[in-house]
Amino acid sequence: MTIRNVRDHGQRFRPRMACLKKVEAVMLEMQDPKTGVKSQPQKLVITTIPHAITGEDVVTWLANRYTIEAEEAWALGTMLVAFGYIYPLQDHKRLVIKPDTALYRFQTPYFWPAQQWPVEDTDYAIYLAKRNIRKKGVLEMHEQEQYNGLHKWMNHKWDFIVMQAKEQYRAGKERKKPDRAVFDCQERAYWVVHRPPPGTVSAMDYGLERMVDPNAEEKETSDFFRRIMIFTQQSIMRPRVKSSVSIGALVKYSITCNKHDPFLAPCLPSNPWVTDDVTYWLLNMANVDIPTKMRVERWTFSFGELLSDPRGRDDFRLFLKKEFSGENLAFWEACEDLKWGTAATMNEKAQQVYKTFLARGAPRWINIDGKTMEVTVKGLKHPHRYVLDAAQTHIFMLMKKDSYGRYLKSPVFKDTQKRAIGPDQHRFSVSQLEANARKRRPSISPIIVRQQEKEERARMATSGPVDITQVMSKLSNKGKEVPPPKK
């Protein structure tokens, strides 16, 4: 392969590199001659492949080394294959590990993803041309499409690509047959990882390019030292808590949330990171009709947990509506929308919040003290993202001390708690896990998710009950309008 070591900002500046470095440490331990996975020559058809390992040995070693179940060890082994650290010698198309006697080999460090090689189309074209020569024009369907597309796009240098492919093919024929088979499998596994067939998910999909190194050292200018001095002064003035108190709070939080952590306790019905089953995500969607028992239990931990869950806010909103105090939660949500919204709509949203909740005779007027109102109204003359923080904190504490306790004792919460579902644990067989892995698809883009949530909120707003106070306010303002004089 003609891979050149040029600076690839897209890979060097991505957080995935830290994960790959940890995976490399695991791979080095697996290849240890004394404590690693035992390898031995294995016969493949009529060729003896040196240093081959079986999928069963890999899964068993991972389960024993990290004290995990076989199901999780299988998922970890599949991740190693998907990243290209282990490659199959038989079934090249399926980047999963089979816990049986299927043969695998450790990929040479030259092809490891953390080497930061840029995956260029020229190298892929040379690889396809070489395979086309070896297979005498018989390529797989997706490879044939890629080959034709690259031939059309790189027509100006196709003679050079074919020449390189012939030279590499000639050099490969001079190798011994076992070495030639091993190198062919290594190269093919590399391109299956970086140029996967249609319908499969690429583990090397890093997302958007990052052209700036976030870990670069900043130049020591006067502004740099000034910001350090301000940060140090603020740190000195910040109130401190005794270590015993903070550690006790941390231990209490860990004990409370232990069984709610999907990495520390079993997920129900199954762990989606291990089984590739999306049932867990479907049951815990943002606006699901019936939540799970574990989700409802988290609402009792703290008022912040309740507000951080969209389904919990919907339930709390229903309770406040029956107590005729729904404007408090509506104001809190409007403040959050202002805080995390776009800068272009900041002034408009701030004025809308003032007219709806703070102005005299507002349709959904909230009850805050005079000092907080004075500070908020004064800040609205020059609005910014955090201009409503004082009023939002006041309303938050009011709901926490008054409404939250009554909500936990209300029929609304008890009815939701009674209807909540507790899914049974679902165990998958090896064949089902392989089928789930083949059906794996990338997650929906966060941009699409936010757009869907926005459309859902708009739909709920149009289908919800009409606030009669807002209607009467609009009618009264319309009646006060003076008609234009007749000419």
Side-chain angles (χ1 to χ4, degrees), residues 222-235:
S222 58
D223 181 67
F224 171 75
F225 289 108
R226 181 180 62 82
R227 285 189 281 108
I228 290 182
M229 292 173 61
I230 294 175
F231 175 78
T232 306
Q233 291 174 356
Q234 292 176 347
S235 301

Side-chain angles (χ1 to χ4, degrees), residues 299-320:
W299 301 348
T300 63
F301 291 169
S302 67
F303 186 54
E305 287 283 352
L306 176 65
L307 292 185
S308 63
D309 189 346
R311 181 61 180 82
R313 286 204 305 271
D314 292 341
D315 210 56
F316 189 55
R317 185 182 297 108
L318 179 62
F319 166 75
L320 293 179

Side-chain angles (χ1 to χ4, degrees), residues 285-287 310 313 446-461:
M285 291 177 65
N287 294 312
R313 286 204 305 271
I447 300 175
I448 300 177
V449 173
R450 287 194 293 268
Q451 184 178 0
Q452 291 177 350
E453 292 177 352
K454 187 176 181 180
E455 293 175 354
E456 180 67 19
R457 287 196 298 267
R459 186 185 64 80
M460 293 178 62

Side-chain angles (χ1 to χ4, degrees), residues 317-463:
R317 185 182 297 108
L318 179 62
F319 166 75
L320 293 179
K321 180 183 176 183
K322 293 184 177 181
E323 290 207 339
F324 303 100
S325 57
E327 65 277 356
N328 291 334
L329 181 60
F331 174 74
W332 184 88
E333 290 179 330
C335 294
E336 289 292 301
D337 187 31
L338 173 66
K339 187 183 299 184
W340 303 103
T342 58
T345 60
M346 192 186 305
N347 294 339
E348 180 183 352
K349 288 181 179 179
Q351 294 302 324
Q352 185 65 29
V353 170
Y354 174 75
K355 293 177 182 178
T356 307
F357 300 99
L358 301 174
R360 291 183 180 180
R364 308 192 72 181
W365 185 76
I366 59 173
N367 186 15
I368 59 176
D369 60 273
K371 185 177 180 181
T372 305
M373 177 69 77
E374 182 182 354
V375 172
T376 303
V377 173
K378 184 178 179 181
L380 284 172
K381 296 179 180 178
H382 304 284
H384 53 85
R385 293 187 183 277
Y386 309 100
V387 68
L388 299 172
D389 270 9
Q392 185 185 16
T393 304
H394 180 87
I395 293 298
F396 177 86
M397 297 304 297
L398 181 66
M399 293 190 295
K400 179 181 178 181
K401 295 179 179 179
D402 185 27
S403 303
Y404 178 58
R406 295 202 308 275
Y407 163 72
L408 295 179
K409 301 176 183 179
S410 67
V412 174
F413 176 73
K414 291 182 179 179
D415 181 62
T416 304
Q417 197 174 31
K418 184 178 180 181
R419 292 188 302 112
I421 58 177
D424 298 327
Q425 188 173 7
H426 187 185
R427 293 191 176 276
F428 293 89
S429 63
V430 176
S431 59
Q432 289 175 327
L433 291 175
E434 293 182 4
N436 292 343
R438 288 196 299 269
K439 297 177 183 178
R440 187 187 305 152
R441 292 294 179 269
S443 302
I444 303 177
S445 171
I447 300 175
I448 300 177
V449 173
R450 287 194 293 268
Q451 184 178 0
Q452 291 177 350
E453 292 177 352
K454 187 176 181 180
E455 293 175 354
E456 180 67 19
R457 287 196 298 267
R459 186 185 64 80
M460 293 178 62
T462 54
S463 61

Side-chain angles (χ1 to χ4, degrees), residues 59 62 68-82 97 271-276 433 440:
V59 173
L62 291 172
I68 56 179
E69 296 182 358
E71 188 179 66
E72 191 170 357
W74 177 87
L76 180 57
T78 298
M79 185 189 72
L80 297 177
V81 176
I97 197 162
N271 192 327
W273 293 278
V274 175
T275 62
D276 290 307
L433 291 175
R440 187 187 305 152

Side-chain angles (χ1 to χ4, degrees), residues 25-245:
V26 176
M27 294 303 303
L28 293 176
E29 192 173 354
M30 291 179 70
Q31 298 181 63
D32 187 271
K34 296 181 180 180
T35 61
V37 182
K38 301 301 180 182
S39 62
Q40 57 184 351
Q42 295 283 352
K43 199 165 186 179
L44 184 64
V45 192
I46 59 174
T47 306
T48 302
I49 305 297
H51 305 294
I53 56 178
T54 63
E56 184 180 4
D57 292 340
V58 173
V59 173
T60 303
W61 187 91
L62 291 172
N64 295 334
R65 172 62 180 82
Y66 297 103
T67 319
I68 56 179
E69 296 182 358
E71 188 179 66
E72 191 170 357
W74 177 87
L76 180 57
T78 298
M79 185 189 72
L80 297 177
V81 176
F83 277 132
Y85 288 99
I86 300 175
Y87 63 90
L89 293 173
Q90 294 163 313
D91 194 353
H92 302 278
K93 300 178 184 178
R94 300 169 62 186
L95 295 179
V96 296
I97 197 162
K98 299 178 182 179
D100 51 21
T101 57
L103 297 181
Y104 297 84
R105 283 189 96 252
F106 293 113
Q107 182 67 282
T108 178
Y110 179 81
F111 292 110
W112 284 2
Q115 295 297 331
Q116 305 167 8
W117 303 128
V119 184
E120 296 183 355
D121 290 331
T122 304
D123 300 322
Y124 189 45
I126 295 173
Y127 164 75
L128 291 179
K130 184 169 58 175
R131 274 184 56 81
N132 190 51
I133 296 172
R134 185 186 305 118
K135 296 292 184 179
K136 298 180 180 180
V138 181
L139 297 175
E140 296 183 14
M141 186 176 296
H142 73 277
E143 291 180 337
Q144 189 65 50
E145 293 178 359
Q146 293 280 352
Y147 180 83
N148 296 336
L150 291 173
H151 187 189
K152 183 178 179 181
W153 182 50
M154 299 181 176
N155 190 33
H156 58 286
K157 57 177 181 180
W158 195 252
D159 294 338
F160 166 77
I161 292 173
V162 173
M163 181 183 67
Q164 288 285 330
K166 289 181 178 180
E167 288 294 328
Q168 292 184 17
Y169 178 70
R170 189 179 300 111
K173 292 189 69 174
E174 296 177 357
R175 297 189 183 98
K176 295 181 179 180
K177 192 172 183 179
D179 296 338
R180 184 165 68 248
V182 168
F183 183 78
D184 290 344
C185 291
Q186 287 178 343
E187 193 176 25
R188 185 169 186 177
Y190 175 84
W191 287 114
V192 169
V193 170
H194 293 275
R195 290 288 191 274
T200 59
V201 180
S202 174
M204 306 308 297
D205 185 9
Y206 290 93
L208 299 176
E209 294 287 336
R210 181 179 290 177
M211 301 303 296
V212 179
D213 187 358
N215 301 317
E217 295 183 1
E218 190 175 356
K219 293 183 179 179
E220 297 182 352
T221 60
S222 58
D223 181 67
F224 171 75
F225 289 108
R226 181 180 62 82
R227 285 189 281 108
I228 290 182
M229 292 173 61
I230 294 175
F231 175 78
T232 306
Q233 291 174 356
Q234 292 176 347
S235 301
I236 294 173
M237 297 172 61
R238 189 179 299 122
R240 304 294 177 184
V241 182
K242 289 184 178 180
S243 58
S244 58
V245 177

